[in-house]
Amino acid sequence: MAVERILKDEASEEKGERARMASFIGAMAIADLVKTTLGPKGMDKILQSTGRGREVTVTNDGATILKSLHIDNPAAKVLVDISKVQDDEVGDGTTSVVVLAGELLREAEKLVAAKIHPMTIIAGYRMAAECARNALLQKVVDNKEDPEKFKSDLMKIAMTTLSSKILSQDKEHFAKLAVDAVMRLKGSTNLESIQIIKKPGGSLKDSFLDEGFILDKKIGIGQPKRIENAKILVANTAMDTDKVKIYGARVRVDSMSKVAEIEGAEKEKMREKVQKIIAHGINCFVNRQLIYNFPEELFADAGILAIEHADFDGIERLALVTGGEIASTFDNPESVKLGHCKLIEEIMIGEDKLIHFSGVELGQACTIVLRGASHHVLDEAERSLHDALCVLSQTVNDSRVLLGGGWPEMVMSKDVDELARKTPGKKSHAIEAFSRALVAIPTIISDNAGLDSAELIAQLRAEHQKEGCTAGIDVISGSVGDMAQRGISEAFKVKQAVLLSATEAAEMILRVDEIITCAPRRREDRMTQVMERVVCDTVWLQKLGRCAILMHLSF
Amino acid sequence: MALAFDEFGRPFIIIKEQEQKTRLRGLEAQKANISAGKAIARILKTSLGPKGMDKMLQSPDGDVTITNDGATILEQMDVDNQIAKLMVELSRSQDYEIGDGTTGVVVMAGALLEQAELLLERGIHPIRIAEGYEMASRIAFEHMEKIAQKFDYGVSNFEPLVQTCMTTLSSKIVNRCKRNLAEIAVKAVLAVADLERKDVNLDLIKVEGKVGGKLEDTELIYGILVDKDMSHPQMPKQIEDAKIAILTCPFEPPKPKTKHKVDIDTVEKFQNLRQQEHKYFDDMVQQCKDVGATLVICQWGFDDEANHLLMHRNLPAVRWVGGVELELIAIATGGRIVPRFQELTPEKLGKAGLVREKAFGTTKDRMLYIEHCANSRAVTIFIRGGNKMMIEETKRSIHDALCVARNLIRNNRIVYGGGSAEISCSIAVEAAADRYPGVEQYAIRAFADALDAVPMALAENSGLQPIETLSAVKSQQIKENNPYCGIDCNDVGTNDMREQNVFETLIGKQQQLLLATQVVKMILKIDDVISPSEY
């Protein structure tokens, strides 16, 4: 007799081999999708949303690509999630983590086909991951004691991170920007205090770091355009009409004259408020909310610079920079902490006027102004810079550094291979597979650069049998080179996070033997589907590469 | 559908809209029900034991859950069949009562149904089968009491508790650091346990999770963790020896419930009102300050003006704290929840040794720790992990471990795991079966066979030969008269579960037996299924 339906309509259930197949294929498809963006010669992707406006994003950042894809496969969602967490936690390596997890699953698929139980594979992967981590720990370099060397380490890391992004042409310039900005934070990881302002126009080279603070606002008319030794009051208060907040209050009058009286009283109230603010002895007033014409005029009369409608982040940052507190009542001028700075002036970037605060008290915050040909370039530049800043700020706290260019993967794979030889039992196959998955990363890097990966990886492996080897893949010259000499470094924290989360995700997907999909909830089909097009993938175009795509866009 | 006709050949309409309903009767109904129940059990069977696999569930909104927990799988599966829903209920009630063994109970029920099907085919009446099962379950229940062991623990010697929790955790994805998590769970339970009354209120243990970091960073906080930050960015981030005012009234102008209007018709009134409003804010903050509070925790929002006043008077505050958290804070700090500013008194303030704000990762995530409280009777387990699904699964695993630890405190008797208890019961039931005259004998034997299903599934999931392994263990139990032999899932090399330290709670196992038997009895008694046919 036929089994009656157990699940609801449209719900589906996949079991055993089929379920495993579905999740492997989904995860590998995602990994293959972002694979081509890996490494310094990795390609970008154009993402076009099908929503209104057909907005276009050009990016090389794994997390951004994955976030905007509309994915149905549950296993693929796990990979998207780890890439997002990688972005939140360390900021970089978002592509590597997905590629590594994909490779681990690809190897696992072969093992499952060879009739090895997933639990055995997981046990092997766990041992291998532990061993790989220890191998890295032995090789790390920590230059915290020596500030000179530490700074050069940071420079190297920033350059390595940026070299795979759109900023690679000017990577030295931007690396310096990023390192300077992060050094000012003095160990805090709060990237909020680094402000990035994007202004189209000029070229990427014209981007600069400003030590002071730039607020994207205009100065009111008739107010001083330049203030020296400014005393700043940062406020969050209503400066339109100060409403009566008591519930149910309303004005009810019986004659026109009364209306005028009350209006007068209202005005008087505002005037009093402004007087109180002026009594703080300030010459600059920044408010989060609107300032109406009347109080603005009063401020202008008193020679005070009044800036309205600064956004919330701007207010907080300004308070942080100038050392003032955000005020909402103004009755005790003596106890409110005011902010200070040497000079406030209006500056021009491109054709926009901005307000520039320089000589600020607490030098913790700073502003980076990005210039570039188009919005797409600027957006991508911001993402790249954000990655670099994240990595640097994490490195400042955990200063352990590794070499780059596939060196860490080779070191790990060598140790893991050794472990495989020593381990009895079926687990050793899994450990061996782990090592193969690790080698896949340098292989992909060289493949993306149009190099002969089989030849290079074999050379690299031979090279790594020597004690204290520093060889990695030098994509620029297309050969195996000394990474220490080339100054290619990566942060240990990033590599560790990549290793651990990729293993964790692979383990999670491997453990699944059944997928149950509920019936999708009925709703309007408004979901923005994102189409992904790989613009060019042939080797000869790779040489023209990114420039070609970008030029196309900017015209 | 079978119809009844009157003498003129017209059909009797008995059920409303009879034509549109499908109806299954008699043996057919029973078989359909049994096969539905079996189908559910088959889904869960592979999740059993330390080598059990996980299930991936996609919700109607597309969210993915990966889990090993039977109750969660069934709850999210969106089943449509009535009998399948019964099985879901079964697993849920095991979850509510015991918290662990949610997979085992469904597998057990599935095995009982499978055996019942065979008996039905031989023509045994379902009620007789049900009665036989009832007798058999009583025998097994009593036998379990016999083989159960008491084990001693104290507040200082909680190693045995940790071992039991580790058994629970070993079947989950978190088994990488089960030792750590088991210790955390046991410490948390002991912190809130009422050892004299032998009860634990699990509501006092809050489980919070945040993505990022490693699983190893999971920690136990003797205090409360609130996913909120200070209301004003410039308030102090750390307060020592805090006196906490816990308020459920907003720092906003009063809003009387009755409808009212305040009319302003003269300038004086306007100014008067303004002053009053001003004074109102001032009074609120002053009242908090007067009773000596150094931290205000409020369930509602603050007006900008009040917020600044608070910061100005150096009175840090937290807003929009949820009701449950507010209660926990009140319990932990020994304070009272105050609904009105006028009712604030120094005695009603809560006390905490340290309150601090902590930031995470590269984004601006902050959380508030309230530690060293006056009354350490509320604790928080803070979970970190690589991704969202991992955190969710860890939360569920920790919940299971907490439940197990609580059950042990309620009743400190244990049985050994690895299927040993089931095998032992199966032998006892089999032996007892011969003493029953009547048809029930067959049902009792079938029950014994069904009991073997759990160890069989364990062996199968661990990659062992199920029948071979089971018969070997069974004969070993009888030969050595040792009820502690089980399936060696982890390939340790010994069958003796005492050496492997695999325990389960007695009440958990007994409950599994009783619940499974009850549901199976209920399913067997159904002989007519009427359902609207929708197509």
Side-chain angles (χ1 to χ4, degrees):
Chain A
M1 202 188 96
V3 178
E4 281 198 36
R5 290 191 62 84
I6 290 180
L7 299 165
K8 287 213 173 112
D9 291 339
E10 289 183 58
S12 66
E13 183 191 357
E14 300 200 29
K15 290 189 153 196
E17 283 308 304
R18 275 181 63 87
R20 212 165 277 136
M21 186 80 89
S23 46
F24 281 160
I25 287 179
M28 284 189 298
I30 288 293
D32 286 343
L33 185 77
V34 290
K35 198 157 114 178
T36 51
T37 62
L38 201 68
K41 295 263 165 111
M43 304 298 289
D44 291 5
K45 309 249 177 242
I46 290 187
L47 306 169
Q48 187 175 32
S49 91
T50 50
R52 210 181 307 145
R54 305 242 157 196
E55 278 166 51
V56 169
T57 317
V58 185
T59 185
N60 181 290
D61 183 41
T64 313
I65 298 173
L66 293 178
K67 242 184 278 175
S68 41
L69 286 176
H70 176 62
I71 292 168
D72 218 21
N73 186 300
K77 279 189 182 153
V78 176
L79 290 199
V80 175
D81 197 51
I82 55 169
S83 148
K84 211 173 120 250
V85 172
Q86 178 85 4
D87 197 29
D88 289 349
E89 273 296 294
V90 285
D92 193 26
T94 50
T95 312
S96 316
V97 70
V98 175
V99 172
L100 184 58
E103 288 302 324
L104 285 174
L105 288 172
R106 197 189 304 276
E107 293 296 336
E109 191 195 10
K110 289 179 205 155
L111 293 178
V112 171
K115 297 272 177 279
I116 293 180
H117 195 268
M119 284 295 164
T120 319
I121 303 177
I122 288 171
Y125 276 8
R126 270 187 196 169
M127 282 171 72
E130 192 55 40
C131 161
R133 189 166 160 259
N134 288 338
L136 283 188
L137 272 174
Q138 276 170 15
K139 301 270 180 172
V140 289
V141 186
D142 193 343
N143 283 332
K144 194 146 195 119
E145 307 306 317
D146 187 348
E148 270 304 302
K149 262 196 177 161
F150 182 51
K151 198 162 178 202
S152 90
D153 271 352
L154 285 183
M155 260 317 263
K156 283 184 203 161
I157 291 176
M159 292 213 324
T160 312
T161 305
L162 291 174
S163 68
S164 66
K165 313 272 154 124
I166 196 168
L167 303 176
S168 61
Q169 297 299 320
D170 314 298
K171 64 180 173 194
E172 249 167 89
H173 179 66
F174 281 101
K176 211 164 153 328
L177 274 187
V179 172
D180 282 350
V182 169
M183 292 301 262
R184 295 175 73 88
L185 292 180
K186 300 191 180 75
S188 138
T189 54
N190 188 5
L191 293 179
E192 291 279 306
S193 44
I194 299 177
Q195 189 190 17
I196 298 180
I197 292 182
K198 296 176 282 184
K199 287 282 162 202
S203 75
L204 281 173
K205 262 211 188 79
D206 299 333
S207 309
F208 61 94
L209 174 81
D210 196 279
E211 310 213 331
F213 181 78
I214 294 178
L215 199 62
D216 198 352
K217 288 281 164 239
K218 289 199 183 68
I219 293 179
I221 297 160
Q223 290 167 347
K225 295 270 186 265
R226 183 186 159 91
I227 296 177
E228 276 175 47
N229 287 330
K231 293 199 205 70
I232 308 161
L233 180 66
V234 186
N236 175 16
T237 184
M239 290 300 275
D240 34 4
T241 45
D242 210 354
K243 283 183 221 91
V244 176
K245 283 170 190 160
I246 290 173
Y247 186 69
R250 61 171 183 178
V251 178
R252 170 171 272 181
V253 287
D254 40 22
S255 71
M256 278 307 282
S257 60
K258 288 258 174 78
V259 177
E261 265 172 41
I262 292 206
E263 199 193 345
E266 227 172 38
K267 243 185 184 166
E268 194 52 41
K269 185 183 170 193
M270 182 50 72
R271 194 190 302 276
E272 246 172 61
K273 191 169 183 181
V274 173
Q275 290 306 335
K276 271 188 206 157
I277 291 170
I278 294 170
H280 285 71
I282 52 164
N283 44 21
C284 174
F285 175 73
V286 185
N287 192 15
R288 188 172 85 82
Q289 298 172 29
L290 279 176
I291 303 178
Y292 267 27
N293 288 354
F294 176 62
E296 193 176 341
E297 185 195 321
L298 291 176
F299 282 122
D301 285 348
I304 289 175
L305 172 61
I307 302 163
E308 64 167 7
H309 223 260
D311 52 60
F312 205 80
D313 281 348
I315 282 280
E316 258 183 50
R317 235 177 253 145
L318 194 63
L320 202 70
V321 175
T322 59
E325 67 183 41
I326 301 172
S328 294
T329 58
F330 310 98
D331 290 328
N332 332 55
E334 63 287 342
S335 60
V336 172
K337 243 176 102 193
L338 297 178
H340 295 277
C341 80
K342 290 253 164 57
L343 179 70
I344 301 176
E345 59 180 343
E346 201 174 53
I347 53 165
M348 299 267 291
I349 298 177
E351 52 182 22
D352 292 330
K353 286 180 192 160
L354 305 166
I355 305 167
H356 183 218
F357 297 76
S358 57
V360 289
E361 232 168 40
L362 307 170
Q364 287 207 4
C366 56
T367 303
I368 294 174
V369 179
L370 285 179
R371 309 300 312 277
S374 74
H375 279 291
H376 303 296
V377 176
L378 284 177
D379 286 347
E380 176 65 359
E382 188 192 358
R383 276 193 290 273
S384 314
L385 201 60
H386 176 256
D387 280 7
L389 289 174
C390 284
V391 175
L392 288 176
S393 69
Q394 295 292 334
T395 319
V396 170
N397 286 339
D398 181 350
S399 60
R400 288 173 289 182
V401 172
L402 296 164
L403 293 178
W407 178 83
E409 282 82 9
M410 293 311 287
V411 169
M412 287 191 274
S413 115
K414 188 182 155 216
D415 274 37
V416 172
D417 256 341
E418 220 131 275
L419 176 74
R421 257 173 256 150
K422 278 184 232 149
T423 314
K426 283 189 212 168
K427 269 182 269 184
S428 77
H429 292 288
I431 300 174
E432 227 179 308
F434 195 92
S435 141
R436 275 200 299 277
L438 284 171
V439 176
I441 290 198
T443 313
I444 293 168
I445 293 180
S446 45
D447 274 343
N448 283 349
L451 304 172
D452 182 356
S453 60
E455 170 69 24
L456 277 178
I457 297 301
Q459 275 184 27
L460 198 57
R461 197 193 301 256
E463 207 53 40
H464 268 264
Q465 288 306 316
K466 291 179 203 150
E467 206 46 50
C469 162
T470 54
I473 290 179
D474 182 354
V475 175
I476 311 298
S477 70
S479 62
V480 170
D482 186 342
M483 289 295 119
Q485 243 174 35
R486 299 266 146 73
I488 296 177
S489 298
E490 281 182 78
F492 169 71
K493 200 164 173 193
V494 175
K495 274 282 150 212
Q496 175 184 282
V498 167
L499 184 72
L500 294 182
S501 3
T503 319
E504 215 166 68
E507 189 182 311
M508 222 162 167
I509 294 173
L510 265 173
R511 279 178 70 102
V512 171
D513 75 335
E514 181 150 344
I515 303 176
I516 297 167
T517 316
C518 294
R521 187 158 292 163
R522 302 243 166 249
R523 68 181 134 198
E524 307 276 304
D525 198 20
R526 289 190 290 133
M527 222 173 310
T528 47
Q529 280 180 350
V530 174
M531 265 180 37
E532 180 264 346
R533 283 189 215 149
V534 184
V535 169
C536 47
D537 233 340
T538 49
V539 176
W540 66 271
L541 248 179
Q542 279 191 352
K543 284 181 190 150
L544 291 170
R546 187 176 293 124
C547 291
I549 304 171
L550 283 179
M551 282 177 34
H552 174 72
L553 269 175
S554 53
F555 289 136
Chain B
M1 182 178 278
L3 293 172
F5 299 94
D6 62 8
E7 61 259 48
F8 302 112
R10 288 176 306 204
F12 280 115
I13 306 292
I14 305 166
I15 311 163
K16 203 172 156 198
E17 288 167 359
Q18 186 163 292
E19 297 303 310
Q20 284 157 37
K21 296 206 163 92
T22 52
R23 185 170 175 191
L24 282 177
R25 314 183 57 173
L27 210 53
E28 213 169 297
Q30 265 140 3
K31 284 202 176 155
N33 292 343
I34 286 173
S35 70
K38 267 162 57 190
I40 292 284
R42 208 166 45 230
I43 290 173
L44 288 194
K45 209 168 178 178
T46 51
S47 293
L48 204 68
K51 296 265 167 97
M53 307 290 281
D54 289 2
K55 308 276 173 261
M56 194 184 260
L57 302 148
Q58 201 169 17
S59 81
D61 296 322
D63 297 332
V64 178
T65 311
I66 297 179
T67 183
N68 185 289
D69 182 50
T72 315
I73 297 171
L74 290 180
E75 217 145 288
Q76 304 216 345
M77 230 169 67
D78 202 9
V79 287
D80 207 17
N81 185 293
Q82 301 81 4
I83 300 300
K85 277 184 187 152
L86 271 183
M87 301 292 264
V88 175
E89 283 293 317
L90 166 70
S91 170
R92 197 179 297 156
S93 53
Q94 173 85 8
D95 196 31
Y96 286 160
E97 254 322 279
I98 307 295
D100 187 33
T102 50
T103 314
V105 68
V106 176
V107 172
M108 180 77 212
L112 285 173
L113 285 174
E114 202 172 327
Q115 294 295 335
E117 196 178 11
L118 294 179
L119 294 179
L120 280 176
E121 263 167 25
R122 292 168 123 189
I124 298 178
H125 194 271
I127 297 294
R128 305 298 288 270
I129 302 175
E131 269 162 20
Y133 277 180
E134 183 65 41
M135 288 174 198
S137 78
R138 221 172 297 135
I139 300 167
F141 188 87
E142 274 154 23
H143 183 72
M144 244 180 228
E145 299 256 318
K146 258 182 252 156
I147 58 169
Q149 289 191 331
K150 258 204 169 70
F151 86 143
D152 295 316
Y153 63 90
V155 176
S156 52
N157 170 31
F158 51 76
E159 182 60 27
L161 288 176
V162 175
Q163 291 287 353
T164 322
C165 287
M166 272 165 68
T167 309
T168 307
L169 291 175
S170 64
S171 67
K172 316 277 178 194
I173 194 166
V174 293
N175 61 6
R176 184 154 47 99
C177 43
K178 60 179 172 187
R179 174 87 217 175
N180 256 343
L181 293 180
E183 266 173 30
I184 287 175
V186 171
K187 278 185 195 157
V189 168
L190 284 179
V192 301
D194 187 344
L195 289 177
E196 268 152 39
R197 271 201 315 124
K198 290 202 171 204
D199 202 6
V200 185
N201 184 1
L202 284 187
D203 289 342
L204 295 178
I205 302 174
K206 195 172 164 225
V207 183
E208 273 280 345
K210 190 132 214 142
V211 263
K214 316 193 273 294
L215 201 54
E216 283 82 356
D217 299 336
T218 301
E219 55 178 342
L220 176 66
I221 298 161
Y222 288 98
I224 306 288
L225 193 66
V226 190
D227 198 356
K228 289 277 176 302
D229 51 3
M230 295 290 181
S231 62
H232 196 288
Q234 283 157 324
M235 282 179 181
K237 306 280 180 242
Q238 188 162 344
I239 305 155
E240 274 165 38
D241 290 324
K243 294 208 179 63
I244 306 172
I246 305 163
L247 297 172
T248 53
C249 44
F251 273 87
E252 273 165 12
K255 275 186 189 162
K257 298 256 161 46
T258 44
K259 231 176 177 180
H260 72 287
K261 289 204 174 77
V262 183
D263 281 349
I264 304 169
D265 48 12
T266 59
V267 176
E268 289 76 52
K269 275 195 185 166
F270 181 77
Q271 273 159 352
N272 227 341
L273 201 63
R274 210 180 91 212
Q275 242 134 42
Q276 281 198 350
E277 179 192 293
H278 195 79
K279 197 166 155 289
Y280 187 78
F281 283 128
D282 238 18
D283 280 353
M284 282 195 291
V285 179
Q286 196 54 44
Q287 266 162 349
C288 296
K289 204 74 187 164
D290 280 346
V291 292
T294 55
L295 174 69
V296 178
I297 290 179
C298 183
Q299 196 176 6
W300 304 102
F302 301 166
D303 192 86
D304 277 345
E305 221 171 307
N307 200 4
H308 177 249
L309 271 177
L310 282 168
M311 149 50 203
H312 196 72
R313 298 275 183 89
N314 203 7
L315 189 59
V318 188
R319 57 182 154 185
W320 296 122
V321 178
V324 182
E325 282 155 341
L326 212 63
E327 258 170 49
L328 277 176
I329 293 173
I331 293 171
T333 59
R336 291 269 294 280
I337 297 177
V338 182
R340 230 165 288 171
F341 287 102
Q342 289 78 8
E343 284 168 23
L344 265 176
T345 55
E347 304 86 61
K348 287 182 180 168
L349 296 182
K351 287 173 194 62
L354 179 68
V355 177
R356 66 196 164 97
E357 206 181 273
K358 199 178 164 192
F360 298 98
T362 59
T363 47
K364 175 170 102 165
D365 271 347
R366 298 200 197 96
M367 282 183 130
L368 201 67
Y369 285 66
I370 301 173
E371 289 171 301
H372 309 300
C373 299
N375 173 4
S376 64
R377 269 289 158 81
V379 295
T380 306
I381 298 174
F382 185 44
I383 299 170
R384 308 300 313 274
N387 56 49
K388 202 173 66 209
M389 295 140 213
M390 193 77 185
I391 299 253
E392 290 301 313
E393 177 67 359
T394 313
K395 267 190 192 169
R396 285 189 285 270
S397 312
I398 285 270
H399 168 253
D400 283 8
L402 289 175
C403 288
V404 168
R406 176 195 59 180
N407 294 342
L408 278 176
I409 285 175
R410 275 195 189 154
N411 181 346
N412 65 350
R413 300 213 293 169
I414 50 149
V415 289
Y416 287 88
S420 66
E422 282 89 351
I423 298 174
S424 173
C425 284
S426 155
I427 295 169
V429 172
E430 183 89 53
D434 297 338
R435 274 182 273 126
Y436 283 87
V439 190
E440 284 85 0
Q441 202 184 82
Y442 284 87
I444 295 172
R445 274 205 202 101
F447 192 90
D449 284 343
L451 276 171
D452 286 343
V454 172
M456 196 106 88
L458 272 181
E460 205 176 323
N461 290 346
S462 315
L464 304 169
Q465 292 290 341
I467 299 176
E468 230 166 77
T469 322
L470 179 65
S471 46
V473 172
K474 215 170 194 177
S475 73
Q476 194 186 356
Q477 275 210 9
I478 295 174
K479 224 184 287 160
E480 296 174 12
N481 197 14
N482 174 2
Y484 311 122
C485 290
I487 309 285
D488 177 18
C489 297
N490 287 327
D491 235 1
V492 181
T494 167
N495 271 341
D496 198 327
M497 290 297 133
R498 279 176 300 184
E499 280 169 44
Q500 285 207 16
N501 278 329
V502 179
F503 319 116
E504 280 176 74
T505 53
L506 174 68
I507 39 175
K509 267 269 138 40
Q510 285 180 333
Q511 197 71 29
Q512 270 189 4
L513 265 184
L514 293 183
L515 282 176
T517 316
Q518 248 176 51
V519 167
V520 168
K521 269 173 66 187
M522 194 155 138
I523 294 175
L524 283 176
K525 276 190 177 165
I526 301 170
D527 76 335
D528 202 339
V529 181
I530 301 167
S531 53
S533 64
E534 53 246 82
Y535 312 109

